[in-house]
Amino acid sequence: MAETIISVRGLKVYYYTLSGVVRAVDGVDLDIARGEWVTIVGESGSGKSTLALSMMGLVLPPGRIVGGSVLFDGVDLTKLSGEELRRLRGKRIGVIFQDPSAYLDPLRTVGSQIAEAVLEHGVASSESDAWRIAEEALEIVGVPASRARAYPHQLSGGQRQRVAIAAAIALNPDVLIADEPTTALDVVVQARIIELLKGLQRRRGLTIVMVTHDIALAGEVSDRIAVMYSGRVVEWGSAERVIGSPLHPYTRLLIDSVPDLWSRRKVRSIPGEPPDPRRPPSGCRFHPRCPLAVEECRSRQPPRVSAADGWAECFFAGEAGGGR
Amino acid sequence: MSLARYVAVRLLLVVPTVLILYTIVFIVMRVLPGDPVQAALGVHYVPPEELEELRAKLGLDKPLYVQYFEYLAGLLRGDLGESMVFQGRSVWEDIKDKFPATLELTLAAFTVSVIIGFVTGSIAAVKGGLVDRAMRVYGIIAYTMFIPWLGLMLIYIFSVELKLLPSGGRIDPRFIPRDVTGLYIVDSIITGDLRALASALEHLVLPALTLGIVLSGAYTRIVRVHLAEALRSEYSIAYRARGLRESKVLAHALRNSMVPVVTLMGLQLALLLGGAVLTETTFSWPGLGSFLVERVMYRDYTAVQGAVVVFAVIVSLTSIIVDVVYALIDPRIRY
């Protein structure tokens, strides 16, 4: 495995809301290698976005990192000051979000939004230089440089996401965090955006951390997959292995819930609701919905069972195929 | 539709607006008990024949619809008529005399309110917590403050106790500057008359502060709400994620929160230009507000009708300007 660029250790991110403490990320360990594509998969509220954004030290209020560490290239982000984090963001770690229309300032041209960040990080010597870099970034993501003078509302949804990607990669960062980058787009545009990201990963050695609820997409594009459930990564491993022979029953059920165009296999939904993250179930958090659950699952946090290329947190993970 | 065409259409719409307002005021003034003749004579006994003669002289003996259309015909020629109480005085000349005083007070109070409102509102949105609460309380207190009370308090402190500032009037009559624009401050600067400038300024401070503070409360609250929302918005998160300094994020958020604030600014400016009645009476400020109150008392039909027509035109023009400003702020707004 190549050099590790992001190393998450025992990370806990809690949101302190009026109705209680939401344990969005509750003890996560992950090592992400330079140049690979890691996808975090999970249902809404599983904490996958919180985990991904905390990898750039971006925790939105009322959230707080309450434990653990995030090492980025050897530096613990949880120990950095706001100003040190600011210098890192945009320059060494970029991010794109789900809805590019909301994440672009409606009142300013897209070019000026990209160029501004370029100037802010002191990469360009002048405004015209920054503008040139912005136009280059747009060309890289397949948006004509002339569109730099367009306002977000004058672009299509796909173009807006391309612009957001251009803004994120303009300064050639090591890591790109993509928080549900294609959820708001239609299928055809979705495929093109994924292709674009794949190209960036290959050509520029960009490390990509993508968040999605779409495990089929994750299996197609990623090198490794982390499956999240109720604030914990319950399974981790190479994409082929996780999709091909999942160890955790939750992963299994996620895969079975994907509709398949070619086979007439019945789509199965996962019974029950995701747990309330303010009051996670005891023991294995998946036990109330798990077809394999036994008494032990209710009382004890399952151990991390290693597989050849990763692990799963399940008492049955050692048995062939996680209860197939 | 282009901006120019939009403005042209809006300008045309001023005509029906004015017509409707004129009609309403015409009716209301006639419905009110009393008429200019009675109001001018007060309680003195005058023989009925003489009253009729006076009324005939003012044209009040004609049927109402004739009075309505005669005055309207004058309006179309740009003639606001003559006062019915102060014989021989042109309504237009009177309004022209009073308007600069109102404009001067309006601009000063407006500036005060916008500065206080933006500073307090921004601080509240950025700091949050206790500071936010303090600013919100300021906003409510300022907004609900009764102008004559605040005015009298300031007069008591600064004029009576400290003897720093005059308690009323627009300028020391000895120092009135040569008339150029009618705005004393501008005129005294143009003519280089420092004594006039000093006198005009010291007279302006208290009324501008009183009105400015009361108006600032609304800005505090509206700036706070919209700025806080903009600072929490996704594009602000994206700016921070790109490593932008918080000062820049704030600048962009401020611009995004401007549209609703500009609406309030336009409304207030338009209202103020019609005369700040309470402030003007508290500080004996000789503006349109006191003028209108006085003429309503006298049932000076022509003067009130004329003033309302001028007011309607000012409000319409202000709202057109506000719409143009929207388009300048927000590229999504196109007419």
Side-chain angles (χ1 to χ4, degrees):
Chain A
M1 199 52 66
E3 161 209 7
T4 298
I5 183 140
I6 293 177
S7 176
V8 178
R9 282 288 167 274
L11 186 68
K12 291 184 178 185
V13 184
Y14 292 178
Y15 291 95
Y16 293 86
T17 70
L18 289 178
S19 57
V21 178
V22 175
R23 302 176 186 190
V25 174
D26 203 9
V28 164
D29 305 293
L30 277 185
D31 283 312
I32 294 169
R34 190 182 280 276
E36 75 169 333
W37 182 318
V38 168
T39 301
I40 306 169
V41 185
E43 290 168 285
S44 326
S46 59
K48 55 192 191 300
S49 292
T50 305
L51 171 61
L53 292 181
S54 64
M55 289 183 195
M56 64 190 302
L58 194 65
V59 179
L60 302 174
R64 271 214 313 267
I65 294 181
V66 293
S69 61
V70 178
L71 294 181
F72 172 77
D73 213 3
V75 181
D76 188 351
L77 297 188
T78 62
K79 302 238 174 358
L80 291 188
S81 70
E83 175 61 17
E84 286 165 322
L85 273 175
R86 184 188 72 71
R87 283 197 213 130
L88 220 61
R89 285 181 193 145
K91 191 166 185 204
R92 299 206 57 200
I93 314 176
V95 61
I96 56 174
F97 298 97
Q98 177 174 338
D99 181 3
S101 337
Y103 286 90
L104 289 170
D105 187 335
L107 305 188
R108 302 176 63 222
T109 62
V110 295
S112 68
Q113 296 186 50
I114 303 173
E116 185 183 31
V118 173
L119 265 181
E120 190 82 343
H121 286 290
V123 175
S125 51
S126 67
E127 244 168 82
S128 59
D129 197 20
W131 190 264
R132 188 184 49 74
I133 294 176
E135 284 182 337
E136 278 172 18
L138 285 173
E139 294 274 2
I140 289 170
V141 301
V143 176
S146 59
R147 299 306 273 158
R149 293 187 190 283
Y151 289 96
H153 72 276
Q154 295 167 330
L155 302 173
S156 68
Q159 269 183 320
R160 273 180 229 148
Q161 193 56 294
R162 282 171 193 271
V163 166
I165 295 171
I169 59 141
L171 292 172
N172 211 0
D174 304 84
V175 177
L176 176 69
I177 292 168
D179 186 2
E180 307 239 18
T182 58
T183 309
L185 305 173
D186 71 58
V187 186
V188 178
V189 181
Q190 201 174 70
R192 295 214 185 104
I193 295 290
I194 292 295
E195 241 169 72
L196 168 64
L197 292 176
K198 204 74 207 168
L200 289 170
Q201 184 207 359
R202 286 210 200 94
R203 286 199 308 275
R204 306 189 141 206
L206 186 65
T207 310
I208 294 184
V209 179
M210 182 173 81
V211 171
T212 183
H213 59 264
D214 184 348
I215 195 166
L217 175 67
E220 245 172 80
V221 300
S222 337
D223 297 306
R224 287 198 286 177
I225 293 178
V227 180
M228 251 190 122
Y229 188 82
S230 188
R232 292 190 69 87
V233 171
V234 293
E235 177 153 10
W236 168 241
S238 73
E240 303 89 76
R241 205 274 300 144
V242 171
I243 302 294
S245 48
L247 298 175
H248 199 285
Y250 176 62
T251 314
R252 167 88 265 153
L253 285 167
L254 264 187
I255 294 168
D256 285 348
S257 68
V258 177
D260 189 332
L261 272 182
W262 309 116
S263 82
R264 296 202 142 265
R265 175 176 61 79
K266 227 182 128 219
V267 173
R268 286 200 292 166
S269 65
I270 305 176
E273 294 288 320
D276 181 347
R278 284 163 300 188
R279 281 175 294 276
S282 60
C284 172
R285 291 179 188 187
F286 187 56
H287 82 252
R289 301 168 76 187
C290 183
L292 305 178
V294 294
E295 196 47 48
E296 197 177 18
C297 301
R298 276 178 253 281
S299 51
R300 259 191 344 119
Q301 163 70 32
R304 203 167 277 172
V305 178
S306 296
D309 64 343
W311 41 259
E313 289 186 338
C314 178
F315 290 110
F316 301 102
E319 295 165 27
R324 255 175 210 249
Chain B
M1 196 160 35
S2 72
L3 188 60
R5 227 185 114 194
Y6 175 78
V7 170
V9 170
R10 287 290 306 271
L11 283 173
L12 280 178
L13 285 174
V14 173
V15 176
T17 311
V18 167
L19 189 67
I20 291 168
L21 265 166
Y22 161 62
T23 310
I24 293 174
V25 168
F26 182 91
I27 296 168
V28 169
M29 287 307 286
R30 262 76 179 174
V31 170
L32 282 177
D35 67 13
V37 175
Q38 265 178 359
L41 295 174
V43 290
H44 301 288
Y45 175 76
V46 180
E49 318 77 79
E50 225 168 292
L51 275 180
E52 287 314 312
E53 203 179 308
L54 281 169
R55 290 204 172 101
K57 234 177 93 191
L58 295 173
L60 293 171
D61 57 338
K62 295 178 194 164
L64 278 181
Y65 72 90
V66 176
Q67 294 181 34
Y68 175 86
F69 284 109
E70 274 184 358
Y71 189 78
L72 187 58
L75 280 183
L76 293 178
R77 290 191 309 268
D79 179 8
L80 299 182
E82 268 185 20
S83 165
M84 286 192 171
V85 179
F86 302 91
Q87 248 107 74
R89 290 227 323 242
S90 144
V91 171
W92 174 244
E93 287 301 322
D94 272 348
I95 293 175
K96 235 173 61 184
D97 265 4
K98 307 288 179 184
F99 185 67
T102 290
L103 184 61
E104 199 160 65
L105 176 59
T106 294
L107 293 179
F110 186 69
T111 312
V112 169
S113 67
V114 168
I115 291 175
I116 298 181
F118 267 77
V119 170
T120 51
S122 308
I123 291 176
V126 171
K127 297 278 178 195
L130 271 180
V131 179
D132 180 20
R133 239 176 257 184
M135 294 301 157
R136 273 152 71 192
V137 169
Y138 165 80
I140 288 212
I141 292 177
Y143 185 69
T144 52
M145 193 97 78
F146 188 49
I147 289 179
W149 181 83
L150 178 61
L152 289 176
M153 285 299 127
L154 291 179
I155 288 173
Y156 178 73
I157 297 170
F158 292 99
S159 308
V160 180
E161 288 294 319
L162 300 175
K163 298 189 171 40
L164 282 174
L165 296 166
S167 63
R170 209 182 147 201
I171 195 165
D172 186 325
R174 290 171 299 169
F175 302 139
I176 294 176
R178 190 158 56 78
D179 185 27
V180 186
T181 60
L183 301 169
Y184 287 168
I185 296 197
V186 176
D187 289 353
S188 54
I189 291 172
I190 292 175
T191 57
D193 188 343
L194 289 180
R195 276 202 314 193
L197 181 62
S199 177
L201 278 176
E202 67 178 12
H203 281 82
L204 185 58
V205 171
L206 288 186
L209 210 56
T210 305
L211 188 52
I213 287 174
V214 173
L215 295 179
S216 71
Y219 288 111
T220 303
R221 295 184 71 83
I222 198 170
V223 167
R224 176 195 159 273
V225 166
H226 292 281
L227 183 59
E229 188 187 292
L231 282 171
R232 277 195 312 266
S233 71
E234 283 95 347
Y235 54 80
S236 292
I237 293 172
Y239 275 136
R240 293 189 191 103
R242 270 179 232 137
L244 238 57
R245 265 166 253 264
E246 199 56 33
S247 58
K248 296 229 168 113
V249 178
L250 178 64
H252 297 317
L254 256 178
R255 188 173 164 204
N256 268 284
S257 57
M258 275 326 293
V259 167
V261 180
V262 167
T263 311
L264 180 66
M265 284 169 132
L267 283 174
Q268 284 203 336
L269 200 55
L271 275 176
L272 284 178
L273 287 173
V277 178
L278 291 174
T279 314
E280 288 184 8
T281 41
T282 308
F283 290 96
S284 349
W285 191 266
L288 273 186
S290 356
F291 171 78
L292 198 60
V293 169
E294 179 193 84
R295 295 308 167 91
V296 171
M297 295 299 183
Y298 281 122
R299 302 288 183 273
D300 191 345
Y301 294 162
T302 41
V304 174
Q305 285 161 195
V308 167
V309 165
V310 170
F311 184 40
V313 172
I314 291 172
V315 172
S316 304
L317 294 183
T318 313
S319 86
I320 294 174
I321 292 171
V322 166
D323 282 350
V324 173
V325 172
Y326 283 157
L328 294 180
I329 295 177
D330 192 335
R332 287 167 300 182
I333 299 176
R334 284 290 168 263
Y335 300 108

